[in-house]
Every structure is written in C-alpha cells, then in structure tokens.
Amino acid sequence: MQIREATSSDIPEIIRVLRASIGESKLPKKEEIWRYKHLDNPFGASLVLLAVESGRIVGVRSFMNWEWNMEGTFFSALRAVDTGVLPEYQGKGIFKKLNSAGLELAESRGKHFIFNTPNSKSLPANLKMGWDKMGKLKIVFIPGNFRKLISKKKNFQYRKSKDLTALELQELLDAYNNSQSKGGKIFTSKSPTYLQWRYEQNPLQEYEVISDKDFYLAAYLKSHKYFTELRVTEHIYHNQFGLDKIKSAIFKMNRIYRAELISYTSGLNLSYFKFSGKFGPVLVYRNLNLDPGPQNKISSLKNWSYTLGDLELF
C-alpha cells in the first residue's frame, strides 16, 4: 500500500471514498465543497494524504490550514477534517498510517500544531495516537422566543447587510485584531478575505451577515428536534459602541427568526438570564514545533479566545 499526497486530479475519487465511508447525512460530499474547503482556503491549500492500493484510493486523511495569533506571534496550524476509509478496508490500520504520515510531513514543513474537534467515535483514536484532550468548548445560551403559538417563519432568506466601505472594514478588523492580541490569548486573526470565504460565500452553510464600520456579525438558524437555535458564529467589535450594536442586531434578527435559544461564546453578555457551560465539542491538539513557552499556553483551553465560527465543524 502506498501513502502519497493528493493532487487536484484525485478529487473525484476522493469524493467517492468519502461518500462510501461516511455518507452525506451531515455534510455533503461534492467537488464544489472540497475545492471550497481545501483549495480556496485563504490560509492555504490543505495537506491531503491518500492510501492507494493497486492504483485505487482506499483512504483519505485531510488537514486544513489555519492560522492563529497570540500577542502578535502567528502560529501555522493544521485542522484535521475530512477523513474516510472504504468500508472493506476499515480495521486494517489505514487511518493510523495516514495520520502518522500527515504528522511527519506537517512537522517537517514547520507547522506548529494540529487541532481538531473530533466526534465521539474518532476521539479515542486521536487520544491513542498522542493527541491531548483540552476539554469541551464553553457556550452561552440565552432564551429567545418561547411563544409557541406563534408560527415560525419557514421560508426565510438570509441577508448580507454590509453598510461599510472596504477601508472601514479593514480599519475595524485591524482594531479588533490589535485588541485581541493585547488580551494575551490565542485567536484567529480576521481579514476581509477570511470573512468572505468563511461566511459570505460558504456553500456548506448560509449565514446572515450584518456589519457597519463598528461591528461585524454572522449567524444562522439551526433546527433541533424540539427547538430552534440562533447560533451567533462571529462577533467582531473593539469598543462598547460596537458591542451595543451587535446586541441590538442579534435581538432584531431573532424577532424575524423566532428561535427559542440564542447561542454564542463569551464576550457578548447579551442578557442576565443566561446559562453557560461546556456544551460544545471536545477540542484536541497535537504539538509539532511549539517552543515550551507557547506550548504551555496553547495546551490550555483557558488561553483560547474563540468564536463558534472558529471551531465549529464545516
């Protein structure tokens, strides 16, 4: 069996392997989606390893490029994502071989660390191969609209309301990144290119985007069996004025979508009536080339400043 890096010509067969191994129940497996995630990513093209048997691709392990910032120092990371092995080849150690090859290549290319939010099935395998479990992500919930007699608006259309110039957006992001950097925690630096890729042109999930020169907000409605959730995935601001505008925009948005719960990460303080806890996915990471100082900080989840959009599966 050969382990090699993928090329663009492998994409159709990669899609077939992923469809056969994990299906399309949660995330659609299409060439458009693959190119969006693994080729158009503003942080760079993904590292993708293939297991090939007799000229046939039987396993895929992909690592999406990501960049984190801590106090002005940038860390080049990889995010373990789309992975699959054909059913008839499962249980033969192919996942472990692909993972080991990916770690070796990533380390040789100077990547600082790898992170992931694995599901309950793949978490034990990650831990067995030396990944560190950092804990579940903390999420805040506040009540939205519980008036059950009001019918929900089903055929809604997300808006992209951007009332600012390119210069004003860049100034907002510069101020936000500078403010985050002074906080001493690790965070994803935000750029116009990143926001456009992550939220405004995402073929996997459509987002409502509202912004002006003081804030940038992205959210979407997530349906559950017994309730709906307005999930705030991005909230960018750098002063109290911007924060107040974000709060107002969220409540106005929910008057349209009428979700029973509104979710977000810390930093917004939307209401006194809230409950928070470690309700998010488990974050794991694997050190590659971090010096002891940064490693000690990055290995603790309390030193991460993240939005739901930074770490949610997409």
Side-chain angles (χ1 to χ4, degrees):
M1 180 174 294
Q2 176 192 11
I3 304 294
R4 66 169 176 84
E5 286 192 69
T7 67
S8 59
S9 63
D10 294 313
I11 295 176
E13 194 169 356
I14 288 172
I15 301 304
R16 286 195 291 272
V17 171
L18 293 176
R19 282 175 175 163
S21 60
I22 55 180
E24 295 197 49
S25 59
K26 292 186 177 181
L27 294 177
K29 309 297 182 290
K30 300 178 181 179
E31 287 194 37
E32 174 195 9
I33 303 299
W34 183 269
R35 291 183 180 277
Y36 160 76
K37 290 178 67 173
H38 300 293
L39 296 180
D40 298 338
N41 180 355
F43 297 126
S46 298
L47 170 62
V48 182
L49 277 298
L50 306 176
V52 182
E53 178 80 1
S54 302
R56 179 190 183 200
I57 298 175
V58 299
V60 179
R61 178 71 161 154
S62 56
F63 300 88
M64 181 188 296
N65 269 294
W66 209 267
E67 187 176 84
W68 295 90
N69 183 339
M70 187 169 65
E71 298 178 311
T73 298
F74 291 89
F75 297 92
S76 180
L78 290 174
R79 180 175 188 171
V81 285
D82 301 307
T83 299
V85 177
L86 289 177
E88 61 268 33
Y89 285 87
Q90 293 175 7
K92 298 183 178 181
I94 293 176
F95 171 78
K96 185 175 182 179
K97 291 178 181 178
L98 287 168
N99 195 71
S100 297
L103 293 177
E104 185 178 334
L105 273 175
E107 185 173 7
S108 69
R109 294 175 182 178
K111 297 297 180 181
H112 291 103
F113 64 92
I114 299 179
F115 69 102
N116 189 17
T117 50
N119 58 36
S120 57
K121 292 183 178 179
S122 57
L123 176 60
N126 279 266
L127 299 179
K128 188 179 292 185
M129 290 185 291
W131 297 60
D132 293 321
K133 181 179 178 180
M134 301 173 65
K136 288 189 173 182
L137 305 180
K138 186 176 181 180
I139 300 177
V140 182
F141 292 94
I142 64 170
N145 190 323
F146 280 94
R147 292 187 292 173
K148 293 288 187 178
L149 295 178
I150 299 178
S151 61
K152 289 193 167 47
K153 185 177 180 180
K154 295 182 179 180
N155 298 318
F156 56 84
Q157 185 174 0
Y158 289 118
R159 300 165 296 167
K160 301 289 189 296
S161 177
K162 298 176 64 182
D163 185 19
L164 76 174
T165 65
L167 178 59
E168 288 172 333
L169 176 59
Q170 188 61 63
E171 289 175 345
L172 169 65
L173 298 181
D174 288 344
Y176 167 82
N177 291 332
N178 184 55
S179 175
Q180 288 287 304
S181 184
K182 290 179 179 178
K185 296 185 177 183
I186 186 168
F187 69 99
T188 300
S189 289
K190 305 297 160 64
S191 69
T193 303
Y194 170 84
L195 295 177
Q196 186 177 54
W197 171 76
R198 180 65 183 86
Y199 301 111
E200 297 166 26
Q201 297 180 349
N202 190 325
L204 274 165
Q205 170 63 55
E206 191 174 0
Y207 295 84
E208 177 141 334
V209 173
I210 303 175
S211 62
D212 68 16
K213 63 183 181 63
D214 298 305
F215 78 99
Y216 183 100
L217 172 69
Y220 68 96
L221 196 66
K222 184 173 180 63
S223 296
H224 301 274
K225 187 174 182 180
Y226 297 110
F227 66 93
T228 55
E229 167 196 354
L230 182 64
R231 181 168 292 182
V232 179
T233 49
E234 193 65 74
H235 43 85
I236 294 172
Y237 63 94
H238 67 94
N239 56 29
Q240 186 63 43
F241 191 50
L243 176 57
D244 290 343
K245 283 188 172 183
I246 281 182
K247 291 179 181 180
S248 176
I250 290 173
F251 289 122
K252 285 181 180 178
M253 191 185 302
N254 203 46
R255 283 199 288 271
I256 298 174
Y257 299 126
R258 297 172 180 170
E260 284 81 19
L261 289 176
I262 301 172
S263 65
Y264 53 94
T265 53
S266 60
L268 289 180
N269 193 24
L270 296 180
S271 170
Y272 291 110
F273 302 100
K274 64 184 177 182
F275 60 97
S276 63
K278 298 178 180 179
F279 302 115
V282 174
L283 179 64
V284 298
Y285 108 112
R286 172 70 181 265
N287 178 34
L288 295 175
N289 288 299
L290 287 171
D291 293 329
Q295 181 186 355
N296 289 337
K297 292 197 69 173
I298 291 173
S299 62
S300 175
L301 191 52
K302 69 179 182 180
N303 294 320
W304 288 59
S305 176
Y306 54 86
T307 64
L308 293 177
D310 293 333
L311 294 172
E312 71 173 352
L313 182 65
F314 72 100

